[in-house]
């Protein structure tokens, strides 16, 4: 299994880009998404950008990854990291509704 990491472009370099996540930089292959401007958010798997995402989506993914890290350390106070889900009723996908 591979987990996507939200990274922000800090320097476009044509077929690659220098990106940052949690203070660490890395060179990301941009072949699947094309060149992106400085400040763009990407969902990165194994040093390859697979999707251009919004800043809000990047924050949600970052929060979920942080919740996972905390849970692995035994922390249970992680609801604040799922603010978009707390107090929301689950919805069935359209094809399962009848």
């Amino acid at each position: 299994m591979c987990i996507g990491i939200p990274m922000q472009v800090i320097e476009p370099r044509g077929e690659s880009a220098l990106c940052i996540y949690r203070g660490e930089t890395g060179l990301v292959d941009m072949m699947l998404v094309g060149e992106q401007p400085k400040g763009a958010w990407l969902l990165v798997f194994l040093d390859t950008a697979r999707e251009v995402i919004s800043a809000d989506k990047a924050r949600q993914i970052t929060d979920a990854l942080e919740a996972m890290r905390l849970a692995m350390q035994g922390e249970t106070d992680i609801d604040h990291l799922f603010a978009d889900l707390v107090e929301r009723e689950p919805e069935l996908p359209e094809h399962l509704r009848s």
Side-chain angles (χ1 to χ4, degrees):
M1 178 173 80
C2 172
I3 295 176
I5 304 295
M7 298 186 81
Q8 189 171 33
V9 175
I10 55 176
E11 183 183 319
R13 297 182 178 176
E15 293 180 356
S16 64
L18 188 61
C19 298
I20 190 165
Y21 172 71
R22 296 185 76 171
E24 296 203 19
T25 59
L27 196 59
V28 173
D29 183 326
M30 303 293 284
M31 294 293 288
L32 295 175
V33 297
E35 188 171 348
Q36 299 297 316
K38 179 178 179 178
W41 284 96
L42 309 167
L43 190 55
V44 178
F45 294 81
L46 300 171
D47 298 324
T48 301
R50 302 280 172 91
E51 183 179 346
V52 179
I53 59 175
S54 68
D56 187 51
K57 186 72 167 177
R59 182 196 50 78
Q60 288 176 336
I61 295 167
T62 298
D63 285 351
L65 292 171
E66 178 64 7
M68 183 174 65
R69 185 188 72 77
L70 291 171
M72 290 172 62
Q73 293 178 348
E75 298 288 331
T76 57
D77 182 23
I78 59 174
D79 282 357
H80 65 285
L81 295 168
F82 295 103
D84 59 318
L85 301 176
V86 173
E87 296 185 29
R88 186 185 83 167
E89 288 296 318
E91 293 181 22
L92 284 173
E94 186 66 39
H95 70 279
L96 294 178
R97 298 179 200 166
S98 32

